[in-house]
Amino acid sequence: MTVAAVVSTVVALLALWAPAQLRAAGATPLRAIMMVTTALIAFAAGTLPQLATVLPAEALRGVLYDGGVLLLVSLLLVFEVLLLLAAAPRRPAPASEPASAVAGMRAALFLFMLAEELSRSFLPLYTRELYTPVPGLSETLMMGLPIGLFMALVAVFTPFAGAWADRFGSRRTLLLGTLPAVAGFAGTALAGSLAELLLWRSACALGYAVMFIGAQGFIARHTPAGQRARGMAQFVAAVVVAGLCGAPLGGILADLLGYRATFAASALLALAAAVAAATLLPADRVEWAQNRRFRLGEVTGLLANPRFVALLLFSSVPTKLMLTGYLFYLVPVSLHAAGETPAGIGRLMMTYGLIIVLLGPWVSRLSDRTGRHALFAGIGGLVGGAGTLAILQDPGVAGILAGIAALGVAHALNNATQLALVPEVCRTECARMGESSVFAVYRLLERGGSVAGPLLAAAVADRFGIQAALVTLGGLGMLCGTAFCAVFLLAPATAPASRTAGEGAAP
C-alpha cells in the first residue's frame, strides 16, 4: 500500500507544481509509465536486502507477490491519470472538447467499475459468513445467489436506465444513478444478514446498470460519427483496466483490513465516481425525437432467426455463464478451499484480465482483417471449455490457474467477434428494426447466461462437489463450442459477409 501511496502522491505533486510537464507525459503515456516503472524497481531493489534479513522466506514471497501486483495497479492508475490530463481541453481549442468529455467519462467509469471489482475475489466467501440455515437452500447455493441476483437485476434495470438517459441526459442520469450504488456498497459493508446483503447488492445492481448504459449514451452523444469506434474503445478500456486492478487490489485490502472495510472502500470509490462525473462531464443535450420504445415483438422476431438463436445458445450465453459461474463463483470458492487467501485469489484471477488486455486487440484486428469472426468465436468456445477441464489433470491450484488462463484466451477470442457476428446474422432484422434495437435484444438475452452461471455452478457443487461443478462447466463449454462450430463453420451462411459488420456493436 505504501508503493501505491507514494505513486499517487508523486502524481498529485507533479499536477500542482508542473502541470505542463505532466500533460506532456500524458501525450506519451507509455514513456511515462516506463519512467515510473524504472523508479519503482530501483526502490524495490534497494529495500529487498533489508526485507530478506527480517522476514522468513514464505512471508518475503508474499510481500514480493503483493508488491508486484501493487506495482502493476499503480502503473495502470498512473496511466489513467495521464490519459485524463492529456485530453484536458486547452482554452483556445474547442475542437478538443469531445476528447476531453470522453476522457472525463472514462475516469468516472473507471472509478465506478473499480468499486464493483474490488469484491470480485471474495464475495462468495463474504456471503458464507452471513449465511444462516434456510429450509431448502444450502450454504453452497446461497453463496451463488448474490451474484445471480445482481446479474438478473442488471438485466432488468438496463432498459429503464437507457430510457432515463434518453429522457434526462446521460450526465444527470449518471449523477443520480451512482447514489444507490454508494448506498449499496456502504450497506453491504454493514450487512448483518444474508437478506440485508441481497437488498444492498440489488442497489448496487441499479447503479451498475445506470452507469453502464449512461456511459455508452454519453460517449455516443459527445463523439463525432467518425470517432465513435474510438470513443467506445475508451469505454471498453476503462471496464477492462478496472477489472484488471480490482480483484487483486480488493484481495489485498481484504487480507489487511477485512471484507467489510473493502466494501467501505468501494463506497468511497463510487462516491469519487459521482464527483468525477459532476466535475469532469459537460451537460449533454437530450434528443427527444430519437427516442424509441422497446417492443416485445422485436424479441420474438429475432428468435425466429435460427442463426441468431444458435449464436446466443452456443456462444454468447455460454461465454457469460462461464464468466460468472466459473470465474466469479467457482474460482474464489475452490481456491479458498485449496488454502489461498483473498490476496492470492485476486492475483490468480488477474491472469484473466491480463490475457484479454494483451490478446484482445490483436484478435480484433486479425478477425476484422480476415472477416472470419465465426472462426475466432468458435475457437474461443472450444479453448475455454477444454482449458477449464485441466482440473481433471491437476485438481489443485495449478489446474484452476490453467482454467483461468484458458478462459482469458477464450474471451479474448470471442467477446468482440460475437458482437461482430450479430449484424452479420441479423441483416434483415437490422434493416427492419435498426441495429441499436437488435443489439439491445441481444444484450438482454445474453445476460441470461450471467444469471444462470453462478446458480448452475452452485447447484452442481452442492450436489456433487466443487470439482464436479468445475468439470461440468468445462464440459458444457466444450459441447456448446462444438455445436457452434457445426452451425457456423460446417454450414456457413451463403450470403457474403458484411464489410462493416461490428461497426455499430456496442460493448
Side-chain angles (χ1 to χ4, degrees), residues 170-180 210 273-279 281:
S170 298
R171 180 177 180 270
R172 188 182 303 173
T173 302
L174 289 173
L175 291 174
L176 295 175
T178 51
L179 297 181
V210 169
V275 173
T279 57
L281 304 185

Side-chain angles (χ1 to χ4, degrees), residues 328-344:
F328 292 175
Y329 176 76
L330 288 177
V331 164
V333 172
S334 56
L335 287 176
H336 180 73
E340 289 289 336
T341 64

Side-chain angles (χ1 to χ4, degrees), residues 307-404:
R307 293 178 71 79
F308 176 78
V309 174
L311 172 62
L312 272 175
L313 293 182
F314 301 144
S315 186
S316 302
V317 169
T319 295
K320 297 299 184 184
L321 188 146
M322 294 292 287
L323 178 67
T324 59
Y326 182 89
L327 187 67
F328 292 175
Y329 176 76
L330 288 177
V331 164
V333 172
S334 56
L335 287 176
H336 180 73
E340 289 289 336
T341 64
I345 296 171
R347 287 195 299 265
L348 293 171
M349 292 178 71
M350 195 177 190
T351 307
Y352 171 84
L354 278 173
I355 290 174
I356 290 181
V357 168
L358 296 174
L359 191 58
W362 176 80
V363 170
S364 298
R365 287 193 298 269
L366 185 60
S367 63
D368 281 340
R369 190 179 304 125
T370 60
R372 303 296 301 275
H373 299 116
L375 175 63
F376 284 90
I379 293 174
L382 293 174
V383 168
T388 52
L389 291 176
I391 193 71
L392 293 173
Q393 297 295 322
D394 188 336
V397 173
I400 298 171
L401 178 59
I404 296 172

